[in-house]
Amino acid sequence: MRTTSVADDDEGISMSTPPTVLVTGASSGIGKGFATRYARQGHDVVLVARRADRLDALAAELENAHSVTATVVSADLPDPTAAETIGEHLDREGIEVGILVNCAGFGTAGPFIEEDPARLADEIAVDVVAPTLLTRRFLPSLVAAGTRGALIMVSSTASHQPVPNIAVYAACKAYVTSLTAAIWKELSGTGVRVLALCPGPTDTEFFEAAGSDRFKSDGSARSTRSSTPRSRPSTVAVIPS
Ligand SMILES: NC(=O)c1ccc[n+]([C@@H]2O[C@H](COP(=O)([O-])OP(=O)(O)OC[C@H]3O[C@@H](n4cnc5c(N)ncnc54)[C@H](OP(=O)(O)O)[C@@H]3O)[C@@H](O)[C@H]2O)c1
């Protein structure tokens, strides 16, 4: 349940209510971790992914454990209308998103010349187009949340350099880190925190979804750079307590 507002600000967000957090990729792995952590801290959450059964189970678990409202939105993110459809749905429900975690993603691996073009198109749509359009759709409400607003883009250590055999995945993540850095600069003075999370190999369903062990042998585990230049936003995700 939402906590009762003491006084609403001009944008209609209660100053006493933690902002609602939209997490894409909430059905497993890192996204599920973000959703769980935020709910534990009293944030209402919007859970987005394709597997509605998993989202429903997580929503029930979070609502029971933490007395928050968890809204499930089952969506296939390669659909270029997904961001607007999700936004319109939440508008109708009266849900204003103050924190956006763009986490959904997957990778393809193998020599570029052998890659399936349709799968590459899907990868670019999920890893690049979807977080771009979701960020564009929700950025005004993040800015309205001011210092309580946050944008977290889940990128990768693979974003810091070209990586043969996961060329498209690394290029997608380079885009994500670059986009995040630019938005971070544009939002300076708004109070909104902007973070590019760049994980190394993390034990999730990612490798199973990729259908290849090349990520373990060639991928972000072998990244030679573990930090970003000072002109970029923090690459460490910090969920405020
Ligand atoms: N694990 C790692 O080693 C690692 C390292 C660096 C960066 N990352 C990044 O971390 C993020 C999360 O990955 P993870 O490790 O947590 O992997 P994961 O366990 O496989 O989770 C991926 C999530 O993305 C969602 N997703 C995939 N395709 C989608 C689509 N078409 N529409 C909507 N949602 C979709 C999945 O949900 P559904 O299948 O239910 O749709 C799932 O919730 C990704 O962006 C990944 O690139 C992971």
Side-chain angles (χ1 to χ4, degrees), residues 25 27-30 50-51 75-78 103 105 154-155 169 173 199-202 204-206:
S27 61
S28 78
I30 296 169
R50 289 167 301 183
R51 288 171 289 183
D76 193 10
L77 292 177
C103 187
V154 180
S155 185
Y169 178 73
K173 293 303 188 182
T202 306
T204 67
E205 296 173 20
F206 179 86

mmCIF file with all atom_site columns, all heavy atoms in Angstrom, residues 25 27-30 50-51 75-78 103 105 154-155 169 173 199-202 204-206, ligand 1:
data_model
loop_
_atom_site.group_PDB
_atom_site.id
_atom_site.type_symbol
_atom_site.label_atom_id
_atom_site.label_alt_id
_atom_site.label_comp_id
_atom_site.label_asym_id
_atom_site.label_entity_id
_atom_site.label_seq_id
_atom_site.pdbx_PDB_ins_code
_atom_site.Cartn_x
_atom_site.Cartn_y
_atom_site.Cartn_z
_atom_site.occupancy
_atom_site.B_iso_or_equiv
_atom_site.pdbx_formal_charge
_atom_site.auth_seq_id
_atom_site.auth_comp_id
_atom_site.auth_asym_id
_atom_site.auth_atom_id
_atom_site.pdbx_PDB_model_num
ATOM   1   N N   . GLY A 1 25  ? 13.208 -5.930  -16.697 1.00 0.00 ? 25  GLY A N   1
ATOM   2   C CA  . GLY A 1 25  ? 14.016 -7.132  -16.442 1.00 0.00 ? 25  GLY A CA  1
ATOM   3   C C   . GLY A 1 25  ? 13.863 -7.608  -15.007 1.00 0.00 ? 25  GLY A C   1
ATOM   4   O O   . GLY A 1 25  ? 14.780 -8.204  -14.445 1.00 0.00 ? 25  GLY A O   1
ATOM   5   N N   . SER A 1 27  ? 12.064 -9.955  -13.848 1.00 0.00 ? 27  SER A N   1
ATOM   6   C CA  . SER A 1 27  ? 11.685 -11.360 -13.649 1.00 0.00 ? 27  SER A CA  1
ATOM   7   C C   . SER A 1 27  ? 12.853 -12.240 -13.236 1.00 0.00 ? 27  SER A C   1
ATOM   8   O O   . SER A 1 27  ? 12.647 -13.391 -12.857 1.00 0.00 ? 27  SER A O   1
ATOM   9   C CB  . SER A 1 27  ? 11.041 -11.921 -14.927 1.00 0.00 ? 27  SER A CB  1
ATOM   10  O OG  . SER A 1 27  ? 11.958 -11.868 -16.002 1.00 0.00 ? 27  SER A OG  1
ATOM   11  N N   . SER A 1 28  ? 14.083 -11.707 -13.332 1.00 0.00 ? 28  SER A N   1
ATOM   12  C CA  . SER A 1 28  ? 15.217 -12.526 -12.887 1.00 0.00 ? 28  SER A CA  1
ATOM   13  C C   . SER A 1 28  ? 16.455 -11.673 -12.679 1.00 0.00 ? 28  SER A C   1
ATOM   14  O O   . SER A 1 28  ? 16.488 -10.489 -13.035 1.00 0.00 ? 28  SER A O   1
ATOM   15  C CB  . SER A 1 28  ? 15.521 -13.661 -13.893 1.00 0.00 ? 28  SER A CB  1
ATOM   16  O OG  . SER A 1 28  ? 16.210 -13.171 -15.011 1.00 0.00 ? 28  SER A OG  1
ATOM   17  N N   . GLY A 1 29  ? 17.454 -12.284 -12.106 1.00 0.00 ? 29  GLY A N   1
ATOM   18  C CA  . GLY A 1 29  ? 18.790 -11.712 -12.037 1.00 0.00 ? 29  GLY A CA  1
ATOM   19  C C   . GLY A 1 29  ? 18.887 -10.340 -11.380 1.00 0.00 ? 29  GLY A C   1
ATOM   20  O O   . GLY A 1 29  ? 18.303 -10.091 -10.313 1.00 0.00 ? 29  GLY A O   1
ATOM   21  N N   . ILE A 1 30  ? 19.625 -9.463  -12.031 1.00 0.00 ? 30  ILE A N   1
ATOM   22  C CA  . ILE A 1 30  ? 19.945 -8.150  -11.462 1.00 0.00 ? 30  ILE A CA  1
ATOM   23  C C   . ILE A 1 30  ? 18.678 -7.305  -11.284 1.00 0.00 ? 30  ILE A C   1
ATOM   24  O O   . ILE A 1 30  ? 18.503 -6.622  -10.280 1.00 0.00 ? 30  ILE A O   1
ATOM   25  C CB  . ILE A 1 30  ? 20.984 -7.439  -12.355 1.00 0.00 ? 30  ILE A CB  1
ATOM   26  C CG1 . ILE A 1 30  ? 22.299 -8.236  -12.354 1.00 0.00 ? 30  ILE A CG1 1
ATOM   27  C CG2 . ILE A 1 30  ? 21.227 -6.004  -11.877 1.00 0.00 ? 30  ILE A CG2 1
ATOM   28  C CD1 . ILE A 1 30  ? 23.316 -7.782  -13.409 1.00 0.00 ? 30  ILE A CD1 1
ATOM   29  N N   . ARG A 1 50  ? 8.795  -10.046 -19.767 1.00 0.00 ? 50  ARG A N   1
ATOM   30  C CA  . ARG A 1 50  ? 7.809  -10.818 -20.531 1.00 0.00 ? 50  ARG A CA  1
ATOM   31  C C   . ARG A 1 50  ? 7.120  -11.872 -19.663 1.00 0.00 ? 50  ARG A C   1
ATOM   32  O O   . ARG A 1 50  ? 5.936  -12.125 -19.799 1.00 0.00 ? 50  ARG A O   1
ATOM   33  C CB  . ARG A 1 50  ? 8.484  -11.526 -21.710 1.00 0.00 ? 50  ARG A CB  1
ATOM   34  C CG  . ARG A 1 50  ? 8.919  -10.607 -22.814 1.00 0.00 ? 50  ARG A CG  1
ATOM   35  C CD  . ARG A 1 50  ? 9.849  -11.319 -23.767 1.00 0.00 ? 50  ARG A CD  1
ATOM   36  N NE  . ARG A 1 50  ? 11.042 -11.810 -23.057 1.00 0.00 ? 50  ARG A NE  1
ATOM   37  C CZ  . ARG A 1 50  ? 12.054 -12.423 -23.639 1.00 0.00 ? 50  ARG A CZ  1
ATOM   38  N NH1 . ARG A 1 50  ? 12.026 -12.671 -24.929 1.00 0.00 ? 50  ARG A NH1 1
ATOM   39  N NH2 . ARG A 1 50  ? 13.097 -12.812 -22.919 1.00 0.00 ? 50  ARG A NH2 1
ATOM   40  N N   . ARG A 1 51  ? 7.848  -12.521 -18.760 1.00 0.00 ? 51  ARG A N   1
ATOM   41  C CA  . ARG A 1 51  ? 7.307  -13.678 -18.038 1.00 0.00 ? 51  ARG A CA  1
ATOM   42  C C   . ARG A 1 51  ? 6.413  -13.227 -16.884 1.00 0.00 ? 51  ARG A C   1
ATOM   43  O O   . ARG A 1 51  ? 6.859  -13.025 -15.758 1.00 0.00 ? 51  ARG A O   1
ATOM   44  C CB  . ARG A 1 51  ? 8.459  -14.567 -17.544 1.00 0.00 ? 51  ARG A CB  1
ATOM   45  C CG  . ARG A 1 51  ? 9.145  -15.322 -18.692 1.00 0.00 ? 51  ARG A CG  1
ATOM   46  C CD  . ARG A 1 51  ? 10.392 -16.021 -18.251 1.00 0.00 ? 51  ARG A CD  1
ATOM   47  N NE  . ARG A 1 51  ? 11.478 -15.097 -17.950 1.00 0.00 ? 51  ARG A NE  1
ATOM   48  C CZ  . ARG A 1 51  ? 12.708 -15.475 -17.599 1.00 0.00 ? 51  ARG A CZ  1
ATOM   49  N NH1 . ARG A 1 51  ? 12.990 -16.764 -17.507 1.00 0.00 ? 51  ARG A NH1 1
ATOM   50  N NH2 . ARG A 1 51  ? 13.636 -14.567 -17.362 1.00 0.00 ? 51  ARG A NH2 1
ATOM   51  N N   . ALA A 1 75  ? 5.543  -7.083  -20.771 1.00 0.00 ? 75  ALA A N   1
ATOM   52  C CA  . ALA A 1 75  ? 5.808  -6.383  -22.036 1.00 0.00 ? 75  ALA A CA  1
ATOM   53  C C   . ALA A 1 75  ? 6.996  -7.003  -22.746 1.00 0.00 ? 75  ALA A C   1
ATOM   54  O O   . ALA A 1 75  ? 7.965  -7.440  -22.115 1.00 0.00 ? 75  ALA A O   1
ATOM   55  C CB  . ALA A 1 75  ? 6.106  -4.906  -21.757 1.00 0.00 ? 75  ALA A CB  1
ATOM   56  N N   . ASP A 1 76  ? 6.895  -7.045  -24.070 1.00 0.00 ? 76  ASP A N   1
ATOM   57  C CA  . ASP A 1 76  ? 8.007  -7.501  -24.895 1.00 0.00 ? 76  ASP A CA  1
ATOM   58  C C   . ASP A 1 76  ? 8.703  -6.241  -25.421 1.00 0.00 ? 76  ASP A C   1
ATOM   59  O O   . ASP A 1 76  ? 8.162  -5.520  -26.257 1.00 0.00 ? 76  ASP A O   1
ATOM   60  C CB  . ASP A 1 76  ? 7.475  -8.366  -26.048 1.00 0.00 ? 76  ASP A CB  1
ATOM   61  C CG  . ASP A 1 76  ? 8.591  -9.126  -26.740 1.00 0.00 ? 76  ASP A CG  1
ATOM   62  O OD1 . ASP A 1 76  ? 9.720  -9.141  -26.219 1.00 0.00 ? 76  ASP A OD1 1
ATOM   63  O OD2 . ASP A 1 76  ? 8.329  -9.706  -27.813 1.00 0.00 ? 76  ASP A OD2 1
ATOM   64  N N   . LEU A 1 77  ? 9.878  -5.962  -24.918 1.00 0.00 ? 77  LEU A N   1
ATOM   65  C CA  . LEU A 1 77  ? 10.486 -4.652  -25.136 1.00 0.00 ? 77  LEU A CA  1
ATOM   66  C C   . LEU A 1 77  ? 10.993 -4.354  -26.551 1.00 0.00 ? 77  LEU A C   1
ATOM   67  O O   . LEU A 1 77  ? 11.175 -3.175  -26.883 1.00 0.00 ? 77  LEU A O   1
ATOM   68  C CB  . LEU A 1 77  ? 11.601 -4.422  -24.111 1.00 0.00 ? 77  LEU A CB  1
ATOM   69  C CG  . LEU A 1 77  ? 11.068 -4.259  -22.675 1.00 0.00 ? 77  LEU A CG  1
ATOM   70  C CD1 . LEU A 1 77  ? 12.229 -4.117  -21.691 1.00 0.00 ? 77  LEU A CD1 1
ATOM   71  C CD2 . LEU A 1 77  ? 10.133 -3.066  -22.562 1.00 0.00 ? 77  LEU A CD2 1
ATOM   72  N N   . PRO A 1 78  ? 11.229 -5.350  -27.409 1.00 0.00 ? 78  PRO A N   1
ATOM   73  C CA  . PRO A 1 78  ? 11.603 -4.978  -28.786 1.00 0.00 ? 78  PRO A CA  1
ATOM   74  C C   . PRO A 1 78  ? 10.512 -4.208  -29.523 1.00 0.00 ? 78  PRO A C   1
ATOM   75  O O   . PRO A 1 78  ? 10.788 -3.531  -30.510 1.00 0.00 ? 78  PRO A O   1
ATOM   76  C CB  . PRO A 1 78  ? 11.859 -6.327  -29.467 1.00 0.00 ? 78  PRO A CB  1
ATOM   77  C CG  . PRO A 1 78  ? 12.178 -7.253  -28.382 1.00 0.00 ? 78  PRO A CG  1
ATOM   78  C CD  . PRO A 1 78  ? 11.382 -6.785  -27.191 1.00 0.00 ? 78  PRO A CD  1
ATOM   79  N N   . CYS A 1 103 ? 17.019 -2.330  -16.862 1.00 0.00 ? 103 CYS A N   1
ATOM   80  C CA  . CYS A 1 103 ? 17.885 -3.486  -16.617 1.00 0.00 ? 103 CYS A CA  1
ATOM   81  C C   . CYS A 1 103 ? 17.691 -4.607  -17.648 1.00 0.00 ? 103 CYS A C   1
ATOM   82  O O   . CYS A 1 103 ? 18.608 -5.383  -17.889 1.00 0.00 ? 103 CYS A O   1
ATOM   83  C CB  . CYS A 1 103 ? 17.633 -4.033  -15.215 1.00 0.00 ? 103 CYS A CB  1
ATOM   84  S SG  . CYS A 1 103 ? 18.773 -5.320  -14.713 1.00 0.00 ? 103 CYS A SG  1
ATOM   85  N N   . GLY A 1 105 ? 17.791 -6.973  -20.618 1.00 0.00 ? 105 GLY A N   1
ATOM   86  C CA  . GLY A 1 105 ? 18.784 -7.065  -21.688 1.00 0.00 ? 105 GLY A CA  1
ATOM   87  C C   . GLY A 1 105 ? 19.214 -8.495  -21.902 1.00 0.00 ? 105 GLY A C   1
ATOM   88  O O   . GLY A 1 105 ? 18.972 -9.365  -21.069 1.00 0.00 ? 105 GLY A O   1
ATOM   89  N N   . VAL A 1 154 ? 21.512 -0.151  -16.636 1.00 0.00 ? 154 VAL A N   1
ATOM   90  C CA  . VAL A 1 154 ? 22.397 -1.295  -16.443 1.00 0.00 ? 154 VAL A CA  1
ATOM   91  C C   . VAL A 1 154 ? 23.166 -1.523  -17.736 1.00 0.00 ? 154 VAL A C   1
ATOM   92  O O   . VAL A 1 154 ? 22.612 -1.932  -18.757 1.00 0.00 ? 154 VAL A O   1
ATOM   93  C CB  . VAL A 1 154 ? 21.618 -2.551  -16.013 1.00 0.00 ? 154 VAL A CB  1
ATOM   94  C CG1 . VAL A 1 154 ? 22.582 -3.717  -15.826 1.00 0.00 ? 154 VAL A CG1 1
ATOM   95  C CG2 . VAL A 1 154 ? 20.870 -2.276  -14.708 1.00 0.00 ? 154 VAL A CG2 1
ATOM   96  N N   . SER A 1 155 ? 24.454 -1.195  -17.679 1.00 0.00 ? 155 SER A N   1
ATOM   97  C CA  . SER A 1 155 ? 25.339 -1.355  -18.823 1.00 0.00 ? 155 SER A CA  1
ATOM   98  C C   . SER A 1 155 ? 26.219 -2.576  -18.564 1.00 0.00 ? 155 SER A C   1
ATOM   99  O O   . SER A 1 155 ? 25.715 -3.616  -18.118 1.00 0.00 ? 155 SER A O   1
ATOM   100 C CB  . SER A 1 155 ? 26.149 -0.065  -19.023 1.00 0.00 ? 155 SER A CB  1
ATOM   101 O OG  . SER A 1 155 ? 26.920 -0.150  -20.180 1.00 0.00 ? 155 SER A OG  1
ATOM   102 N N   . TYR A 1 169 ? 26.836 -6.915  -28.637 1.00 0.00 ? 169 TYR A N   1
ATOM   103 C CA  . TYR A 1 169 ? 26.497 -6.693  -27.224 1.00 0.00 ? 169 TYR A CA  1
ATOM   104 C C   . TYR A 1 169 ? 27.364 -5.575  -26.644 1.00 0.00 ? 169 TYR A C   1
ATOM   105 O O   . TYR A 1 169 ? 26.855 -4.648  -25.993 1.00 0.00 ? 169 TYR A O   1
ATOM   106 C CB  . TYR A 1 169 ? 26.693 -7.991  -26.435 1.00 0.00 ? 169 TYR A CB  1
ATOM   107 C CG  . TYR A 1 169 ? 26.405 -7.826  -24.955 1.00 0.00 ? 169 TYR A CG  1
ATOM   108 C CD1 . TYR A 1 169 ? 25.097 -7.681  -24.495 1.00 0.00 ? 169 TYR A CD1 1
ATOM   109 C CD2 . TYR A 1 169 ? 27.443 -7.797  -24.024 1.00 0.00 ? 169 TYR A CD2 1
ATOM   110 C CE1 . TYR A 1 169 ? 24.831 -7.516  -23.140 1.00 0.00 ? 169 TYR A CE1 1
ATOM   111 C CE2 . TYR A 1 169 ? 27.183 -7.635  -22.670 1.00 0.00 ? 169 TYR A CE2 1
ATOM   112 C CZ  . TYR A 1 169 ? 25.873 -7.498  -22.235 1.00 0.00 ? 169 TYR A CZ  1
ATOM   113 O OH  . TYR A 1 169 ? 25.620 -7.326  -20.891 1.00 0.00 ? 169 TYR A OH  1
ATOM   114 N N   . LYS A 1 173 ? 26.153 -1.876  -25.249 1.00 0.00 ? 173 LYS A N   1
ATOM   115 C CA  . LYS A 1 173 ? 26.427 -1.380  -23.900 1.00 0.00 ? 173 LYS A CA  1
ATOM   116 C C   . LYS A 1 173 ? 27.278 -0.104  -23.945 1.00 0.00 ? 173 LYS A C   1
ATOM   117 O O   . LYS A 1 173 ? 27.150 0.756   -23.062 1.00 0.00 ? 173 LYS A O   1
ATOM   118 C CB  . LYS A 1 173 ? 27.087 -2.472  -23.057 1.00 0.00 ? 173 LYS A CB  1
ATOM   119 C CG  . LYS A 1 173 ? 26.161 -3.653  -22.764 1.00 0.00 ? 173 LYS A CG  1
ATOM   120 C CD  . LYS A 1 173 ? 24.874 -3.211  -22.062 1.00 0.00 ? 173 LYS A CD  1
ATOM   121 C CE  . LYS A 1 173 ? 24.021 -4.373  -21.591 1.00 0.00 ? 173 LYS A CE  1
ATOM   122 N NZ  . LYS A 1 173 ? 22.766 -3.956  -20.951 1.00 0.00 ? 173 LYS A NZ  1
ATOM   123 N N   . PRO A 1 199 ? 28.293 -3.930  -14.528 1.00 0.00 ? 199 PRO A N   1
ATOM   124 C CA  . PRO A 1 199 ? 28.715 -5.149  -13.843 1.00 0.00 ? 199 PRO A CA  1
ATOM   125 C C   . PRO A 1 199 ? 29.717 -5.936  -14.682 1.00 0.00 ? 199 PRO A C   1
ATOM   126 O O   . PRO A 1 199 ? 29.686 -5.889  -15.919 1.00 0.00 ? 199 PRO A O   1
ATOM   127 C CB  . PRO A 1 199 ? 27.421 -5.968  -13.703 1.00 0.00 ? 199 PRO A CB  1
ATOM   128 C CG  . PRO A 1 199 ? 26.314 -5.107  -14.191 1.00 0.00 ? 199 PRO A CG  1
ATOM   129 C CD  . PRO A 1 199 ? 26.932 -4.033  -15.042 1.00 0.00 ? 199 PRO A CD  1
ATOM   130 N N   . GLY A 1 200 ? 30.565 -6.668  -14.001 1.00 0.00 ? 200 GLY A N   1
ATOM   131 C CA  . GLY A 1 200 ? 31.314 -7.744  -14.639 1.00 0.00 ? 200 GLY A CA  1
ATOM   132 C C   . GLY A 1 200 ? 30.439 -8.979  -14.583 1.00 0.00 ? 200 GLY A C   1
ATOM   133 O O   . GLY A 1 200 ? 29.238 -8.888  -14.284 1.00 0.00 ? 200 GLY A O   1
ATOM   134 N N   . PRO A 1 201 ? 31.007 -10.140 -14.889 1.00 0.00 ? 201 PRO A N   1
ATOM   135 C CA  . PRO A 1 201 ? 30.209 -11.371 -14.891 1.00 0.00 ? 201 PRO A CA  1
ATOM   136 C C   . PRO A 1 201 ? 29.482 -11.571 -13.578 1.00 0.00 ? 201 PRO A C   1
ATOM   137 O O   . PRO A 1 201 ? 30.076 -11.481 -12.512 1.00 0.00 ? 201 PRO A O   1
ATOM   138 C CB  . PRO A 1 201 ? 31.260 -12.465 -15.118 1.00 0.00 ? 201 PRO A CB  1
ATOM   139 C CG  . PRO A 1 201 ? 32.364 -11.772 -15.822 1.00 0.00 ? 201 PRO A CG  1
ATOM   140 C CD  . PRO A 1 201 ? 32.403 -10.378 -15.272 1.00 0.00 ? 201 PRO A CD  1
ATOM   141 N N   . THR A 1 202 ? 28.197 -11.821 -13.704 1.00 0.00 ? 202 THR A N   1
ATOM   142 C CA  . THR A 1 202 ? 27.341 -11.951 -12.526 1.00 0.00 ? 202 THR A CA  1
ATOM   143 C C   . THR A 1 202 ? 26.494 -13.202 -12.712 1.00 0.00 ? 202 THR A C   1
ATOM   144 O O   . THR A 1 202 ? 25.969 -13.445 -13.805 1.00 0.00 ? 202 THR A O   1
ATOM   145 C CB  . THR A 1 202 ? 26.424 -10.707 -12.416 1.00 0.00 ? 202 THR A CB  1
ATOM   146 O OG1 . THR A 1 202 ? 27.248 -9.525  -12.439 1.00 0.00 ? 202 THR A OG1 1
ATOM   147 C CG2 . THR A 1 202 ? 25.620 -10.723 -11.128 1.00 0.00 ? 202 THR A CG2 1
ATOM   148 N N   . THR A 1 204 ? 23.682 -14.979 -13.079 1.00 0.00 ? 204 THR A N   1
ATOM   149 C CA  . THR A 1 204 ? 22.242 -14.840 -13.324 1.00 0.00 ? 204 THR A CA  1
ATOM   150 C C   . THR A 1 204 ? 21.874 -15.793 -14.472 1.00 0.00 ? 204 THR A C   1
ATOM   151 O O   . THR A 1 204 ? 22.701 -16.610 -14.893 1.00 0.00 ? 204 THR A O   1
ATOM   152 C CB  . THR A 1 204 ? 21.886 -13.396 -13.751 1.00 0.00 ? 204 THR A CB  1
ATOM   153 O OG1 . THR A 1 204 ? 22.477 -13.153 -15.043 1.00 0.00 ? 204 THR A OG1 1
ATOM   154 C CG2 . THR A 1 204 ? 22.400 -12.370 -12.754 1.00 0.00 ? 204 THR A CG2 1
ATOM   155 N N   . GLU A 1 205 ? 20.679 -15.599 -15.015 1.00 0.00 ? 205 GLU A N   1
ATOM   156 C CA  . GLU A 1 205 ? 20.270 -16.430 -16.159 1.00 0.00 ? 205 GLU A CA  1
ATOM   157 C C   . GLU A 1 205 ? 20.819 -15.893 -17.477 1.00 0.00 ? 205 GLU A C   1
ATOM   158 O O   . GLU A 1 205 ? 20.491 -16.399 -18.552 1.00 0.00 ? 205 GLU A O   1
ATOM   159 C CB  . GLU A 1 205 ? 18.737 -16.502 -16.210 1.00 0.00 ? 205 GLU A CB  1
ATOM   160 C CG  . GLU A 1 205 ? 18.149 -17.193 -14.991 1.00 0.00 ? 205 GLU A CG  1
ATOM   161 C CD  . GLU A 1 205 ? 16.625 -17.108 -14.948 1.00 0.00 ? 205 GLU A CD  1
ATOM   162 O OE1 . GLU A 1 205 ? 16.007 -16.867 -15.998 1.00 0.00 ? 205 GLU A OE1 1
ATOM   163 O OE2 . GLU A 1 205 ? 16.067 -17.268 -13.847 1.00 0.00 ? 205 GLU A OE2 1
ATOM   164 N N   . PHE A 1 206 ? 21.618 -14.838 -17.387 1.00 0.00 ? 206 PHE A N   1
ATOM   165 C CA  . PHE A 1 206 ? 22.118 -14.169 -18.590 1.00 0.00 ? 206 PHE A CA  1
ATOM   166 C C   . PHE A 1 206 ? 22.827 -15.139 -19.542 1.00 0.00 ? 206 PHE A C   1
ATOM   167 O O   . PHE A 1 206 ? 22.595 -15.106 -20.754 1.00 0.00 ? 206 PHE A O   1
ATOM   168 C CB  . PHE A 1 206 ? 23.087 -13.058 -18.163 1.00 0.00 ? 206 PHE A CB  1
ATOM   169 C CG  . PHE A 1 206 ? 23.700 -12.282 -19.296 1.00 0.00 ? 206 PHE A CG  1
ATOM   170 C CD1 . PHE A 1 206 ? 23.040 -11.197 -19.845 1.00 0.00 ? 206 PHE A CD1 1
ATOM   171 C CD2 . PHE A 1 206 ? 24.926 -12.643 -19.820 1.00 0.00 ? 206 PHE A CD2 1
ATOM   172 C CE1 . PHE A 1 206 ? 23.601 -10.473 -20.893 1.00 0.00 ? 206 PHE A CE1 1
ATOM   173 C CE2 . PHE A 1 206 ? 25.492 -11.930 -20.864 1.00 0.00 ? 206 PHE A CE2 1
ATOM   174 C CZ  . PHE A 1 206 ? 24.825 -10.849 -21.392 1.00 0.00 ? 206 PHE A CZ  1
HETATM 175 N N1  . LIG B 2 .   ? 24.931 -11.304 -15.755 1.00 0.00 ? 1   LIG B N1  1
HETATM 176 C C1  . LIG B 2 .   ? 26.021 -10.660 -16.177 1.00 0.00 ? 1   LIG B C1  1
HETATM 177 O O1  . LIG B 2 .   ? 27.156 -11.200 -16.136 1.00 0.00 ? 1   LIG B O1  1
HETATM 178 C C2  . LIG B 2 .   ? 25.910 -9.250  -16.681 1.00 0.00 ? 1   LIG B C2  1
HETATM 179 C C3  . LIG B 2 .   ? 27.112 -8.511  -16.818 1.00 0.00 ? 1   LIG B C3  1
HETATM 180 C C4  . LIG B 2 .   ? 27.009 -7.200  -17.274 1.00 0.00 ? 1   LIG B C4  1
HETATM 181 C C5  . LIG B 2 .   ? 25.785 -6.656  -17.590 1.00 0.00 ? 1   LIG B C5  1
HETATM 182 N N2  . LIG B 2 .   ? 24.648 -7.410  -17.470 1.00 0.00 ? 1   LIG B N2  1
HETATM 183 C C6  . LIG B 2 .   ? 23.369 -6.788  -17.831 1.00 0.00 ? 1   LIG B C6  1
HETATM 184 O O2  . LIG B 2 .   ? 22.483 -6.882  -16.736 1.00 0.00 ? 1   LIG B O2  1
HETATM 185 C C7  . LIG B 2 .   ? 21.143 -6.812  -17.221 1.00 0.00 ? 1   LIG B C7  1
HETATM 186 C C8  . LIG B 2 .   ? 20.302 -7.882  -16.545 1.00 0.00 ? 1   LIG B C8  1
HETATM 187 O O3  . LIG B 2 .   ? 20.814 -9.139  -16.919 1.00 0.00 ? 1   LIG B O3  1
HETATM 188 P P1  . LIG B 2 .   ? 20.861 -10.360 -15.899 1.00 0.00 ? 1   LIG B P1  1
HETATM 189 O O4  . LIG B 2 .   ? 22.276 -10.711 -15.706 1.00 0.00 ? 1   LIG B O4  1
HETATM 190 O O5  . LIG B 2 .   ? 20.026 -10.103 -14.718 1.00 0.00 ? 1   LIG B O5  1
HETATM 191 O O6  . LIG B 2 .   ? 20.239 -11.500 -16.841 1.00 0.00 ? 1   LIG B O6  1
HETATM 192 P P2  . LIG B 2 .   ? 18.865 -12.319 -16.753 1.00 0.00 ? 1   LIG B P2  1
HETATM 193 O O7  . LIG B 2 .   ? 18.779 -13.006 -15.435 1.00 0.00 ? 1   LIG B O7  1
HETATM 194 O O8  . LIG B 2 .   ? 18.839 -13.137 -17.991 1.00 0.00 ? 1   LIG B O8  1
HETATM 195 O O9  . LIG B 2 .   ? 17.744 -11.175 -16.801 1.00 0.00 ? 1   LIG B O9  1
HETATM 196 C C9  . LIG B 2 .   ? 17.429 -10.535 -18.004 1.00 0.00 ? 1   LIG B C9  1
HETATM 197 C C10 . LIG B 2 .   ? 16.097 -9.836  -17.827 1.00 0.00 ? 1   LIG B C10 1
HETATM 198 O O10 . LIG B 2 .   ? 15.793 -9.133  -19.043 1.00 0.00 ? 1   LIG B O10 1
HETATM 199 C C11 . LIG B 2 .   ? 14.453 -9.433  -19.404 1.00 0.00 ? 1   LIG B C11 1
HETATM 200 N N3  . LIG B 2 .   ? 14.278 -9.402  -20.851 1.00 0.00 ? 1   LIG B N3  1
HETATM 201 C C12 . LIG B 2 .   ? 15.032 -10.021 -21.781 1.00 0.00 ? 1   LIG B C12 1
HETATM 202 N N4  . LIG B 2 .   ? 14.497 -9.866  -23.006 1.00 0.00 ? 1   LIG B N4  1
HETATM 203 C C13 . LIG B 2 .   ? 13.365 -9.126  -22.836 1.00 0.00 ? 1   LIG B C13 1
HETATM 204 C C14 . LIG B 2 .   ? 12.353 -8.666  -23.711 1.00 0.00 ? 1   LIG B C14 1
HETATM 205 N N5  . LIG B 2 .   ? 12.363 -8.951  -25.022 1.00 0.00 ? 1   LIG B N5  1
HETATM 206 N N6  . LIG B 2 .   ? 11.334 -7.942  -23.207 1.00 0.00 ? 1   LIG B N6  1
HETATM 207 C C15 . LIG B 2 .   ? 11.271 -7.677  -21.879 1.00 0.00 ? 1   LIG B C15 1
HETATM 208 N N7  . LIG B 2 .   ? 12.197 -8.099  -20.994 1.00 0.00 ? 1   LIG B N7  1
HETATM 209 C C16 . LIG B 2 .   ? 13.229 -8.841  -21.464 1.00 0.00 ? 1   LIG B C16 1
HETATM 210 C C17 . LIG B 2 .   ? 14.218 -10.843 -18.859 1.00 0.00 ? 1   LIG B C17 1
HETATM 211 O O11 . LIG B 2 .   ? 12.829 -11.046 -18.616 1.00 0.00 ? 1   LIG B O11 1
HETATM 212 P P3  . LIG B 2 .   ? 11.870 -12.036 -19.466 1.00 0.00 ? 1   LIG B P3  1
HETATM 213 O O12 . LIG B 2 .   ? 12.722 -13.123 -20.042 1.00 0.00 ? 1   LIG B O12 1
HETATM 214 O O13 . LIG B 2 .   ? 10.871 -12.504 -18.470 1.00 0.00 ? 1   LIG B O13 1
HETATM 215 O O14 . LIG B 2 .   ? 11.271 -11.131 -20.511 1.00 0.00 ? 1   LIG B O14 1
HETATM 216 C C18 . LIG B 2 .   ? 14.971 -10.792 -17.538 1.00 0.00 ? 1   LIG B C18 1
HETATM 217 O O15 . LIG B 2 .   ? 14.146 -10.275 -16.524 1.00 0.00 ? 1   LIG B O15 1
HETATM 218 C C19 . LIG B 2 .   ? 21.227 -6.936  -18.748 1.00 0.00 ? 1   LIG B C19 1
HETATM 219 O O16 . LIG B 2 .   ? 21.061 -5.659  -19.320 1.00 0.00 ? 1   LIG B O16 1
HETATM 220 C C20 . LIG B 2 .   ? 22.639 -7.448  -18.971 1.00 0.00 ? 1   LIG B C20 1
HETATM 221 O O17 . LIG B 2 .   ? 23.124 -7.038  -20.230 1.00 0.00 ? 1   LIG B O17 1
HETATM 222 C C21 . LIG B 2 .   ? 24.685 -8.686  -17.008 1.00 0.00 ? 1   LIG B C21 1
#
